[in-house]
Amino acid sequence: MNTSQQTFSLQEYLEELRPLINVDCGTLTTEGIEVIAQQMADKYLDMGWYVKRVDCGIAGTGLEVRNNPDSKDIDVLLIGHMDTVFPVGTVAARPMTVDEKHAYGPGVSDMKSGLLNVVYALRDMDKSTLDKLSICICMNPDEEIGSLHSETWLKSVAVNAKHVLVAEAARADGSLVKARKGMARYRLTFSGKAAHAGNDPQSGRSAITEMANWILGINALTNFESGTTLNVGVVKGGAGANIVPDHAEAVVDVRFWDNDEYADADAKIRAMAETPFVDGVAITIDREAHKPSMVPTKKTEALMALVEESGKELGIDIKWQEVGGGSDANLTAVLGIPTLDGLGPAGAGFHSADEYLELDTIEPRIQLLKRVLTKLAN
């Protein structure tokens, strides 16, 4: 079941990684997600672990894996996601390939290798050490859209956890992630009244004029010094230049370090809808995604020290980064649980055709995860 100190074979690892990469499993591609979920479930069942399937609605299947299902308390919660950002057809166009230094392919570092590293670390751990820990691994199907359908489940598990480790990829330079910006995404819909722009413009109520005022108002909420940024990234509206537009839409991305400052910005955005700039235009605000910021606490700093000590013992120089993108680490950090991210092997080019995995970081990161878990057990 858990034989310790197996010899690591990069070739065997890559052959086990390949079927996880060569599946179209973008978020909401539930058939592909199911293929990944089945592969991951089989790996843990082969190790004698307990696997529970979790219904995440339209996003598909999540997996909750435990070595001690009767324990309410969880010593370590490991989190990873099974979805990618890539559309159906990506695998046919560029399946997994390998050269001397890198592996390439959709999701190779974000984050199939992270999922597999967790398996390798747990497979290779001494059974007597594992028996001292209550471990849970949650794998969700929708992280790339903000874990909209798995957030409630993840948080319900995390509230019983003492530590959370997220196996997203380490940065290209090997850095782990100690802090992540929070994020929110809004869809704003503006409903006005159409009229002929030549014959009767005064009877119209321009949704685009309203939206233009909102863009300026939203831009004014950005504070580069504190790191709260708002970006109107998508706009659309209107049916013709000779028609006063009765419909417009905008999509806004918000990033922030300070959760209170974000709450203030959110309140201001909602207040704008109460007093339209153009009389007679109605505004609908849909917050489509939200993740609070992940900022280290004293408990997190103690966990960081343990990771640094583990790295030192293995000859791995541990560096930390604060990054602008969100992950599931944000969801658990806001609960006050010590949470660290970037425990997977190093990679870069996430969400692009240039995504790659650094081959020489795979085994060291497996060893690092094993060492951290062993220290937590003792």
Side-chain angles (χ1 to χ4, degrees):
M1 176 169 152
N2 289 305
T3 56
S4 71
Q5 303 305 317
Q6 296 170 339
T7 305
F8 177 77
S9 162
L10 179 61
Q11 199 54 45
E12 285 176 17
Y13 179 98
L14 293 173
E15 287 313 306
E16 196 169 343
L17 181 63
R18 193 179 301 278
L20 291 169
I21 304 303
N22 290 345
V23 179
D24 284 320
C25 53
T27 319
L28 306 183
T29 309
T30 52
E31 287 180 12
I33 296 287
E34 180 54 42
V35 172
I36 302 299
Q38 191 58 56
Q39 287 188 54
M40 296 309 300
D42 288 345
K43 294 180 196 305
Y44 284 101
L45 290 169
D46 287 347
M47 290 158 59
W49 289 53
Y50 299 83
V51 177
K52 180 171 122 185
R53 287 174 164 270
V54 179
D55 181 1
C56 295
I58 62 168
T61 300
L63 294 178
E64 187 177 316
V65 180
R66 296 175 186 253
N67 67 334
N68 186 357
D70 298 325
S71 172
K72 185 189 175 211
D73 293 329
I74 298 166
D75 294 307
V76 186
L77 172 61
L78 294 147
I79 299 179
H81 63 87
M82 298 183 285
D83 58 326
T84 72
V85 297
F86 301 105
V88 172
T90 303
V91 166
R94 48 181 191 91
M96 180 173 140
T97 57
V98 181
D99 63 22
E100 286 182 9
K101 291 187 174 180
H102 302 125
Y104 307 89
V108 70
S109 51
D110 183 20
M111 62 167 287
K112 296 302 191 304
S113 54
L115 294 180
L116 191 56
N117 265 34
V118 172
V119 171
Y120 265 68
L122 295 172
R123 261 186 202 156
D124 200 31
M125 280 186 70
D126 187 70
K127 185 179 184 305
S128 62
T129 305
L130 276 178
D131 286 346
K132 296 178 190 172
L133 289 170
S134 171
I135 297 175
C136 179
I137 306 101
C138 285
M139 288 168 272
N140 59 333
D142 61 343
E143 190 274 341
E144 295 293 8
I145 59 166
S147 305
L148 295 177
H149 307 282
S150 60
E151 176 178 352
T152 302
W153 158 53
L154 289 177
K155 285 183 169 178
S156 73
V157 177
V159 290
N160 296 312
K162 294 175 188 169
H163 309 91
V164 176
L165 301 174
V166 180
E168 292 269 13
R171 306 290 103 176
D173 68 352
S175 296
L176 282 79
V177 178
K178 67 174 181 178
R180 285 183 178 273
K181 275 192 170 184
M183 66 80 63
R185 186 173 61 249
Y186 297 87
R187 184 173 299 274
L188 309 175
T189 306
F190 304 91
S191 303
K193 182 184 176 188
H196 192 289
N199 294 331
D200 194 23
Q202 66 275 17
S203 295
R205 298 290 180 267
S206 172
I208 288 179
T209 299
E210 180 67 24
M211 179 174 70
N213 279 284
W214 273 69
I215 291 170
L216 296 174
I218 284 168
N219 287 348
L221 296 175
T222 283
N223 182 342
F224 288 117
E225 287 182 9
S226 66
T228 298
T229 58
L230 294 88
N231 179 60
V232 183
V234 179
V235 295
K236 61 182 178 180
N242 61 342
I243 305 168
V244 176
D246 65 349
H247 181 81
E249 274 186 33
V251 182
V252 184
D253 178 273
V254 188
R255 304 285 165 144
F256 51 92
W257 288 118
D258 186 327
N259 289 317
D260 291 335
E261 190 167 286
Y262 162 67
D264 185 51
D266 176 77
K268 285 175 178 169
I269 289 169
R270 295 181 189 282
M272 283 166 67
E274 303 297 319
T275 53
F277 296 90
V278 178
D279 188 37
V281 175
I283 303 99
T284 305
I285 300 171
D286 290 311
R287 188 172 78 173
E288 296 183 327
H290 171 240
K291 279 184 176 172
S293 65
M294 168 192 172
V295 182
T297 63
K298 285 276 184 267
K299 285 183 179 177
T300 311
E301 286 167 2
L303 184 57
M304 288 167 64
L306 185 144
V307 172
E308 288 167 12
E309 187 184 319
S310 301
K312 199 172 183 180
E313 291 168 6
L314 294 166
I316 301 171
D317 182 27
I318 301 294
K319 300 187 286 285
W320 301 98
Q321 273 192 33
E322 299 176 342
V323 300
S327 85
D328 288 322
N330 298 58
L331 300 180
T332 60
V334 78
L335 299 174
I337 305 159
T339 301
L340 293 176
D341 199 351
L343 272 294
F350 315 131
H351 297 193
S352 79
D354 300 321
E355 180 178 3
Y356 67 85
L357 167 66
E358 296 269 7
L359 298 182
D360 64 2
T361 68
I362 294 169
E363 187 188 9
R365 294 302 162 136
I366 292 168
Q367 297 302 330
L368 179 65
L369 191 51
K370 275 179 58 182
R371 186 67 60 99
V372 169
L373 291 171
T374 301
K375 283 187 181 296
L376 289 172
N378 295 328

